[in-house]
Amino acid sequence: MSNDEDVRAGLSLTSRYLTRDGMPVIPVSGELHYSRVPRERWAERLRQMKAGGVTVVASYLFWLHHQPTRDQAARFDGNLDVAAFVDLAVETGLDVVLRVGPWCHGEARNGGFPDWVQQAPVRHRTDDPSYLELVEGWFAAVSAAVGPAGFAKIIGIQLENELYDQPGHLVTLKRMARDAGMSAPIWTATAWGGADLPEEEVLPLYGGYGDGFWVDADAPWDPTFRDHYFFSHIWDDAGIGADVRRAQAIEAASGGPRTPSDLFPAATCELGGGMATAYHRRPRPEALDVAAIAHCKIGNGSAWQGYYMYTGGTNPGPDLQESHATGYPNDITRLGYDFHAPIGEAGTLAPSHAELRRQHAFLAAFGHVLAEMPSSLPEIRPTGVEDSSTLRYALRSDGVSGFLFVSWHQPHFPLPVHHDARFRIQLPTGEITFPSRPVDVPPGTLARWPINLTVGGSTVTYATASALTLLPGPVPTLVLIAEDGIPAEIEVSGNVQTVTPGFEPLPLDGLDVLVLPATVAGTVWVTEDGGRRLLLSDDELQWDASGTVTVKATKPADVRVYDPSRRAFTPLTVPQSFTPSTAPVTVTEIRAAAGTVPVSYGKHDGRPSAPSPAVFDELAAVYRLTPPSWAADPTRDALLRIIWAGDMAELRVDGTPVTDRFWDGAGWTINLTDIGWTPSTDLTLHVLPLAAGSPISVPDEARTRLTATETQLLSLDTVEVVARTTSTATTP
């Protein structure tokens, strides 16, 4: 990477994978924007990421947030203290990648440029000397804020974002960043859209989303989304950013998708951890939608799993979002940036957190061997994105052992049961055909089955249960998770056994095999800190670099840890200082909604526009919410849960908007502490009805509810507050 001056001891990059201290690793990065998360929540969010199996935290530095006016120096205090964020992440045991811009996007106004930069008479994002002079000031401010000690702790710097046809400019930015004092062993740039990148200067990073707000409201499920539910060796996604390219008359640099350079491993920074919601189009990815894409990328040969977003947040002020008013093709919510992420805006875990953390536990345990295993595709593959009959699978193998990846899930067009599946794998050591008899593969199956895996004194020829982790102990324990609806079959030394999943291991020569039932998959946690441990709990678990487990629960907590020496699960002690509570919130209507709301509030480039703040205030219903007084106790960390229907809603404290949401049929969770609510404040909910004939795109479930109304939809179904306990678990 022309990177001699940035060498970091113990860290290197090959054309196939990253190594730490000579050992191949497959990093897992997750995006968290520190300026969109309250500083007092940073530590918890980082623990939540770590508990999800994330090893690297990535963050944009939004110039707009730090220096809104030219006559004031860039601020790096409070929620903007990037150096403190880096320090805290490293203390938590996470690596750090900073995405320094100067243009970021991230659904920020002007792509993250302050207005004074956006309005400057320069040729933006080029080597125009007048533009570079502005960037020089920003880079100098970032470098001074992070400091040499901070840059010594980070592993990567991303330059710019979604720059397609300016390879020379990326080299200029890299030189300027170094001249300013920035340093990192890995420099990256986004490669989708056929981006023309400077060879050997940056690690190309790719993305993949299963749906997106950036297509038109009436557009069908685009092939660029559908592609990601198949195994492939094509990594480019021509769809990401296509609307912004169109709006700015920027052509993609190549005529179609392409594969990574032979110089670099296939790596990602933007696998969809969820999806933002635009006014005109409101995708709502489910947990399996998110997990299936990530699963396919691992099977495709991924050397770095990177998610955008992994942790949602809130804009640090109104009107900092991209919007039609600022020339963007999309109107985004002014404040809320939940993104349907594994960790939401309120700090609650989405079901995708559990789906992904099993994949990440697998990468932590087997990444050092998986990195050495190229991906191969079968001779008979799906004929295209419309093919819903050909089974989707891939093999990663070093020629001796490997893992078979099966993916049989996609949204919008559900897949049928695939009947009579059986696999034949030809290795130099011989042919393996399994399972012993054909099996039906149910929709929703995401499998990673070990092939010729040698552990302890045994070699597992194959298993039809997904590899999860490998636990140390007097006898190592290979942990598998059964697939729902597929018999768990294991062959060892020519002996084929059908295993009944449970909580006791199958003893083999020098190896225990624990096959967990599919029904407990969502309760599985694996910590690598303080020694690798397998835990089961349907409560939220967190931990830091020491491995100390914190339990966050809305009910009496239940946590069990597997003890390899006892070959059994044992309970952890979780002290609780109070009983969690759930209570209704008193809702008082202050003002009824307008009798009739418009079907449309105007269009921009053919896409429906959101109503202006003034029109919203004129037409929206207003409700006063009065939570019980105990919800103000910070030790209860209370959540406000709203099940509602309408067009858009805004929550205000003493008249000041604190967060907002476009309705997509999902519930809305708000952390009362984070928004600054106390019993002495006035908490109001403002909800705009949605006209029955609205042209916006919402998920099918929401559309069904909307079409059932004759005129307009407005409903508050449930408004309640939920308290949580936070305790430290201890071994009995």
Side-chain angles (χ1 to χ4, degrees):
M1 299 176 67
S2 305
N3 194 21
D4 293 345
E5 55 266 62
D6 288 324
V7 168
R8 183 75 52 79
L11 183 68
S12 34
L13 183 69
T14 78
S15 62
R16 292 172 58 194
Y17 46 74
L18 197 75
T19 68
R20 299 296 292 260
D21 300 322
M23 179 75 73
V25 294
I26 298 181
V28 177
S29 60
E31 190 90 5
L32 180 160
H33 298 153
Y34 61 88
S35 58
R36 282 171 162 161
V37 174
R39 181 169 181 164
E40 56 272 19
R41 292 291 183 183
W42 287 353
E44 181 177 61
R45 295 294 185 275
L46 292 168
R47 292 195 305 270
Q48 291 173 307
M49 295 179 79
K50 193 171 185 64
V54 171
T55 63
V56 183
V57 59
S59 183
Y60 280 137
L61 281 74
F62 291 109
W63 194 353
L64 172 67
H65 294 177
H66 289 271
Q67 193 180 13
T69 61
R70 188 171 194 173
D71 57 355
Q72 292 183 331
R75 290 180 47 204
F76 292 92
D77 58 336
N79 282 22
L80 303 174
D81 192 342
V82 61
F85 177 76
V86 169
D87 287 345
L88 187 57
V90 173
E91 290 170 12
T92 308
L94 296 168
D95 288 318
V96 180
V97 171
L98 296 181
R99 307 173 83 184
V100 299
W103 192 87
C104 294
H105 198 189
E107 288 70 68
R109 187 173 81 224
N110 310 325
F113 282 157
D115 289 346
W116 59 270
V117 173
Q118 179 74 8
Q119 295 162 7
V122 301
R123 286 180 290 117
H124 297 85
R125 307 175 71 189
T126 72
D127 278 355
D128 179 352
S130 297
Y131 171 68
L132 296 181
E133 183 179 355
L134 301 178
V135 174
E136 185 176 25
W138 169 239
F139 278 6
V142 171
S143 184
V146 177
F151 281 111
K153 297 175 182 178
I154 72 171
I155 67 166
I157 294 174
Q158 178 182 303
L159 298 165
E160 253 284 341
N161 188 53
E162 300 179 341
L163 192 66
Y164 303 100
D165 56 358
Q166 298 280 329
H169 181 53
L170 288 173
V171 175
T172 298
L173 291 177
K174 185 177 178 183
R175 173 187 55 76
M176 291 176 61
R178 281 195 170 129
D179 289 347
M182 298 188 205
S183 176
I186 302 174
W187 295 78
T188 76
T190 55
W192 52 79
D196 186 4
L197 302 182
E199 194 171 62
E200 301 186 23
E201 291 284 350
V202 290
L203 169 64
L205 296 179
Y206 294 89
Y209 295 90
D211 206 339
F213 62 82
W214 50 80
V215 296
D216 292 338
D218 58 355
W221 191 30
D222 196 84
T224 61
F225 301 138
R226 303 184 70 160
D227 274 345
H228 296 294
Y229 292 95
F230 294 79
F231 293 103
S232 167
H233 292 161
I234 294 175
W235 287 77
D236 191 21
D237 184 328
I240 307 175
D243 60 334
V244 176
R245 291 198 301 271
R246 182 184 66 184
Q248 298 177 355
I250 298 172
E251 295 292 335
S254 71
R258 63 178 191 174
T259 57
S261 162
D262 290 339
L263 298 172
F264 294 108
T268 60
C269 65
E270 288 201 18
L271 298 179
M275 181 47 57
T277 307
Y279 182 77
H280 76 281
R281 188 176 179 94
R282 309 178 184 185
R284 194 186 71 218
E286 302 294 339
L288 270 179
D289 303 343
V290 170
I293 292 175
H295 178 77
C296 285
K297 297 307 179 192
I298 299 173
N300 292 348
S302 175
W304 186 317
Q305 292 284 95
Y307 299 95
Y308 188 100
M309 294 290 296
Y310 191 86
T311 303
T314 312
N315 286 330
D319 300 320
L320 296 177
Q321 83 288 3
E322 72 173 56
S323 65
H324 290 171
T326 56
Y328 275 79
N330 313 296
D331 267 332
I332 304 295
T333 45
R334 299 172 73 205
L335 292 164
Y337 198 69
D338 177 81
F339 212 85
H340 298 294
I343 304 169
E345 178 185 11
T348 53
L349 303 188
S352 56
H353 191 278
E355 293 293 331
L356 291 175
R357 69 174 180 256
R358 297 195 300 277
Q359 296 181 16
H360 303 159
F362 165 75
L363 294 177
F366 301 103
H368 64 291
V369 294
L370 190 71
E372 299 270 16
M373 296 175 173
S375 168
S376 5
L377 304 176
E379 290 183 6
I380 299 176
R381 300 195 294 274
T383 56
V385 295
E386 303 286 345
D387 188 337
S388 60
S389 59
T390 306
L391 192 61
R392 305 165 189 179
Y393 61 100
L395 175 71
R396 288 189 69 167
S397 173
D398 57 9
V400 177
S401 60
F403 296 91
L404 182 76
F405 293 83
V406 180
S407 181
W408 198 236
H409 170 78
Q410 66 183 25
H412 303 303
F413 296 93
L415 298 172
V417 174
H418 183 88
H419 295 286
D420 299 329
R422 203 170 184 224
F423 304 90
R424 184 173 67 251
I425 296 175
Q426 185 67 51
L427 298 173
T429 53
E431 184 177 280
I432 300 173
T433 301
F434 71 100
S436 60
R437 57 181 59 85
V439 296
D440 292 343
V441 179
T445 298
L446 303 179
R448 48 187 181 273
W449 293 340
I451 307 293
N452 272 355
L453 181 64
T454 299
V455 181
S458 296
T459 297
V460 177
T461 306
Y462 71 83
T464 56
S466 284
L468 175 70
T469 192
L470 183 65
L471 300 176
V475 174
T477 304
L478 173 63
V479 184
L480 310 175
I481 300 182
E483 317 300 344
D484 190 15
I486 299 178
E489 190 174 273
I490 299 176
E491 179 180 335
V492 178
S493 302
N495 180 28
V496 177
Q497 303 182 59
T498 299
V499 180
T500 300
F503 303 98
E504 296 180 0
L506 171 69
L508 302 172
D509 290 336
L511 173 67
D512 283 353
V513 178
L514 176 64
V515 183
L516 295 173
T519 53
V520 303
T523 71
V524 167
W525 307 76
V526 179
T527 171
E528 300 292 323
D529 303 278
R532 184 178 293 155
R533 290 169 293 166
L534 169 66
L535 304 107
L536 295 180
S537 180
D538 57 6
D539 300 307
E540 179 187 338
L541 307 185
Q542 305 171 9
W543 52 82
D544 55 19
S546 72
T548 301
V549 174
T550 299
V551 185
K552 202 150 197 174
T554 58
K555 60 176 181 55
D558 178 19
V559 185
R560 292 176 290 158
V561 60
Y562 185 77
D563 185 342
S565 63
R566 297 183 182 180
R567 291 187 163 100
F569 283 92
T570 59
L572 294 185
T573 301
V574 184
Q576 294 186 158
S577 58
F578 70 93
T579 302
S581 305
T582 300
V585 169
T586 301
V587 179
T588 305
E589 185 178 78
I590 298 174
R591 190 187 71 198
T596 303
V597 297
V599 169
S600 172
Y601 299 94
K603 290 185 176 182
H604 173 79
D605 196 21
R607 294 181 175 179
S609 298
S612 68
V615 170
F616 176 82
D617 283 344
E618 177 187 350
L619 302 178
V622 182
Y623 306 91
R624 177 167 289 113
L625 307 184
T626 308
S629 59
W630 57 256
D633 182 350
T635 65
R636 296 200 171 195
D637 202 17
L639 299 172
L640 177 66
R641 290 181 175 171
I642 303 173
I643 307 298
W644 66 293
D647 188 0
M648 55 186 294
E650 190 172 270
L651 204 63
R652 301 179 186 178
V653 174
D654 288 338
T656 299
V658 289
T659 188
D660 53 0
R661 182 67 65 99
F662 295 147
W663 181 68
D664 58 11
W668 188 13
T669 302
I670 302 99
N671 190 292
L672 285 173
T673 300
D674 291 354
I675 65 171
W677 174 81
T678 68
S680 63
T681 57
D682 187 31
L683 181 64
T684 55
L685 175 65
H686 305 244
V687 185
L688 181 70
L690 180 60
S694 172
I696 65 169
S697 172
V698 293
D700 290 343
E701 173 189 336
R703 175 60 60 184
T704 298
R705 186 168 184 182
L706 178 61
T707 55
T709 184
E710 294 183 1
T711 54
Q712 59 190 36
L713 177 61
L714 172 61
S715 177
L716 289 185
D717 302 331
T718 303
V719 184
E720 64 181 12
V721 66
V722 181
R724 300 179 290 174
T725 61
T726 303
S727 308
T728 300
T730 57
T731 304

PDB file of all heavy atoms in Angstrom, residues 258-271:
ATOM      1  N   ARG A 258     -17.482  -5.576 -10.859  1.00  0.00           N
ATOM      2  CA  ARG A 258     -16.161  -6.140 -11.019  1.00  0.00           C
ATOM      3  C   ARG A 258     -15.732  -6.823  -9.731  1.00  0.00           C
ATOM      4  O   ARG A 258     -16.331  -6.655  -8.686  1.00  0.00           O
ATOM      5  CB  ARG A 258     -15.137  -5.079 -11.420  1.00  0.00           C
ATOM      6  CG  ARG A 258     -14.954  -3.989 -10.369  1.00  0.00           C
ATOM      7  CD  ARG A 258     -13.903  -2.995 -10.805  1.00  0.00           C
ATOM      8  NE  ARG A 258     -13.552  -2.112  -9.698  1.00  0.00           N
ATOM      9  CZ  ARG A 258     -12.575  -1.219  -9.767  1.00  0.00           C
ATOM     10  NH1 ARG A 258     -11.864  -1.085 -10.854  1.00  0.00           N
ATOM     11  NH2 ARG A 258     -12.305  -0.449  -8.719  1.00  0.00           N
ATOM     12  N   THR A 259     -14.675  -7.565  -9.834  1.00  0.00           N
ATOM     13  CA  THR A 259     -14.137  -8.286  -8.684  1.00  0.00           C
ATOM     14  C   THR A 259     -12.979  -7.500  -8.096  1.00  0.00           C
ATOM     15  O   THR A 259     -12.433  -6.602  -8.741  1.00  0.00           O
ATOM     16  CB  THR A 259     -13.657  -9.685  -9.105  1.00  0.00           C
ATOM     17  OG1 THR A 259     -12.691  -9.532 -10.145  1.00  0.00           O
ATOM     18  CG2 THR A 259     -14.807 -10.526  -9.611  1.00  0.00           C
ATOM     19  N   PRO A 260     -12.590  -7.816  -6.866  1.00  0.00           N
ATOM     20  CA  PRO A 260     -11.482  -7.077  -6.250  1.00  0.00           C
ATOM     21  C   PRO A 260     -10.177  -7.253  -7.023  1.00  0.00           C
ATOM     22  O   PRO A 260      -9.966  -8.226  -7.747  1.00  0.00           O
ATOM     23  CB  PRO A 260     -11.380  -7.708  -4.859  1.00  0.00           C
ATOM     24  CG  PRO A 260     -12.709  -8.319  -4.610  1.00  0.00           C
ATOM     25  CD  PRO A 260     -13.203  -8.757  -5.945  1.00  0.00           C
ATOM     26  N   SER A 261      -9.280  -6.299  -6.842  1.00  0.00           N
ATOM     27  CA  SER A 261      -7.938  -6.381  -7.402  1.00  0.00           C
ATOM     28  C   SER A 261      -7.220  -7.613  -6.862  1.00  0.00           C
ATOM     29  O   SER A 261      -7.414  -8.011  -5.712  1.00  0.00           O
ATOM     30  CB  SER A 261      -7.153  -5.122  -7.016  1.00  0.00           C
ATOM     31  OG  SER A 261      -5.763  -5.320  -7.159  1.00  0.00           O
ATOM     32  N   ASP A 262      -6.378  -8.203  -7.688  1.00  0.00           N
ATOM     33  CA  ASP A 262      -5.586  -9.350  -7.236  1.00  0.00           C
ATOM     34  C   ASP A 262      -4.620  -8.971  -6.121  1.00  0.00           C
ATOM     35  O   ASP A 262      -4.082  -9.836  -5.434  1.00  0.00           O
ATOM     36  CB  ASP A 262      -4.790  -9.933  -8.409  1.00  0.00           C
ATOM     37  CG  ASP A 262      -5.683 -10.631  -9.423  1.00  0.00           C
ATOM     38  OD1 ASP A 262      -6.813 -11.002  -9.046  1.00  0.00           O
ATOM     39  OD2 ASP A 262      -5.257 -10.779 -10.587  1.00  0.00           O
ATOM     40  N   LEU A 263      -4.394  -7.677  -5.945  1.00  0.00           N
ATOM     41  CA  LEU A 263      -3.454  -7.230  -4.926  1.00  0.00           C
ATOM     42  C   LEU A 263      -4.042  -7.288  -3.524  1.00  0.00           C
ATOM     43  O   LEU A 263      -3.298  -7.286  -2.541  1.00  0.00           O
ATOM     44  CB  LEU A 263      -3.021  -5.787  -5.211  1.00  0.00           C
ATOM     45  CG  LEU A 263      -2.285  -5.537  -6.528  1.00  0.00           C
ATOM     46  CD1 LEU A 263      -2.098  -4.049  -6.745  1.00  0.00           C
ATOM     47  CD2 LEU A 263      -0.943  -6.254  -6.520  1.00  0.00           C
ATOM     48  N   PHE A 264      -5.380  -7.316  -3.434  1.00  0.00           N
ATOM     49  CA  PHE A 264      -6.019  -7.150  -2.142  1.00  0.00           C
ATOM     50  C   PHE A 264      -7.071  -8.230  -1.898  1.00  0.00           C
ATOM     51  O   PHE A 264      -7.675  -8.756  -2.838  1.00  0.00           O
ATOM     52  CB  PHE A 264      -6.697  -5.779  -2.058  1.00  0.00           C
ATOM     53  CG  PHE A 264      -5.748  -4.624  -2.083  1.00  0.00           C
ATOM     54  CD1 PHE A 264      -5.647  -3.816  -3.194  1.00  0.00           C
ATOM     55  CD2 PHE A 264      -4.948  -4.347  -0.984  1.00  0.00           C
ATOM     56  CE1 PHE A 264      -4.781  -2.741  -3.226  1.00  0.00           C
ATOM     57  CE2 PHE A 264      -4.079  -3.275  -1.002  1.00  0.00           C
ATOM     58  CZ  PHE A 264      -3.984  -2.467  -2.121  1.00  0.00           C
ATOM     59  N   PRO A 265      -7.341  -8.522  -0.633  1.00  0.00           N
ATOM     60  CA  PRO A 265      -8.416  -9.463  -0.310  1.00  0.00           C
ATOM     61  C   PRO A 265      -9.779  -8.820  -0.507  1.00  0.00           C
ATOM     62  O   PRO A 265      -9.907  -7.588  -0.503  1.00  0.00           O
ATOM     63  CB  PRO A 265      -8.167  -9.780   1.168  1.00  0.00           C
ATOM     64  CG  PRO A 265      -7.473  -8.567   1.704  1.00  0.00           C
ATOM     65  CD  PRO A 265      -6.628  -8.043   0.571  1.00  0.00           C
ATOM     66  N   ALA A 266     -10.780  -9.657  -0.672  1.00  0.00           N
ATOM     67  CA  ALA A 266     -12.159  -9.166  -0.755  1.00  0.00           C
ATOM     68  C   ALA A 266     -12.593  -8.726   0.641  1.00  0.00           C
ATOM     69  O   ALA A 266     -12.567  -9.517   1.587  1.00  0.00           O
ATOM     70  CB  ALA A 266     -13.078 -10.255  -1.274  1.00  0.00           C
ATOM     71  N   ALA A 267     -12.970  -7.469   0.771  1.00  0.00           N
ATOM     72  CA  ALA A 267     -13.290  -6.918   2.091  1.00  0.00           C
ATOM     73  C   ALA A 267     -14.446  -5.939   1.961  1.00  0.00           C
ATOM     74  O   ALA A 267     -14.671  -5.359   0.897  1.00  0.00           O
ATOM     75  CB  ALA A 267     -12.064  -6.223   2.689  1.00  0.00           C
ATOM     76  N   THR A 268     -15.176  -5.754   3.040  1.00  0.00           N
ATOM     77  CA  THR A 268     -16.350  -4.879   3.030  1.00  0.00           C
ATOM     78  C   THR A 268     -16.293  -3.884   4.183  1.00  0.00           C
ATOM     79  O   THR A 268     -15.682  -4.140   5.219  1.00  0.00           O
ATOM     80  CB  THR A 268     -17.656  -5.686   3.142  1.00  0.00           C
ATOM     81  OG1 THR A 268     -17.641  -6.429   4.373  1.00  0.00           O
ATOM     82  CG2 THR A 268     -17.820  -6.648   1.978  1.00  0.00           C
ATOM     83  N   CYS A 269     -16.956  -2.768   3.998  1.00  0.00           N
ATOM     84  CA  CYS A 269     -17.161  -1.814   5.089  1.00  0.00           C
ATOM     85  C   CYS A 269     -18.624  -1.437   5.226  1.00  0.00           C
ATOM     86  O   CYS A 269     -18.997  -0.778   6.193  1.00  0.00           O
ATOM     87  CB  CYS A 269     -16.318  -0.557   4.892  1.00  0.00           C
ATOM     88  SG  CYS A 269     -16.767   0.436   3.443  1.00  0.00           S
ATOM     89  N   GLU A 270     -19.444  -1.838   4.248  1.00  0.00           N
ATOM     90  CA  GLU A 270     -20.860  -1.459   4.301  1.00  0.00           C
ATOM     91  C   GLU A 270     -21.766  -2.608   3.889  1.00  0.00           C
ATOM     92  O   GLU A 270     -22.471  -2.536   2.873  1.00  0.00           O
ATOM     93  CB  GLU A 270     -21.137  -0.213   3.453  1.00  0.00           C
ATOM     94  CG  GLU A 270     -20.596   1.063   4.060  1.00  0.00           C
ATOM     95  CD  GLU A 270     -21.263   2.324   3.534  1.00  0.00           C
ATOM     96  OE1 GLU A 270     -22.366   2.216   2.965  1.00  0.00           O
ATOM     97  OE2 GLU A 270     -20.679   3.413   3.702  1.00  0.00           O
ATOM     98  N   LEU A 271     -21.739  -3.686   4.659  1.00  0.00           N
ATOM     99  CA  LEU A 271     -22.827  -4.654   4.580  1.00  0.00           C
ATOM    100  C   LEU A 271     -23.978  -4.061   5.371  1.00  0.00           C
ATOM    101  O   LEU A 271     -23.787  -3.525   6.471  1.00  0.00           O
ATOM    102  CB  LEU A 271     -22.396  -5.993   5.175  1.00  0.00           C
ATOM    103  CG  LEU A 271     -21.216  -6.690   4.479  1.00  0.00           C
ATOM    104  CD1 LEU A 271     -20.889  -7.991   5.196  1.00  0.00           C
ATOM    105  CD2 LEU A 271     -21.521  -6.935   3.014  1.00  0.00           C
TER     106      LEU A 271
END
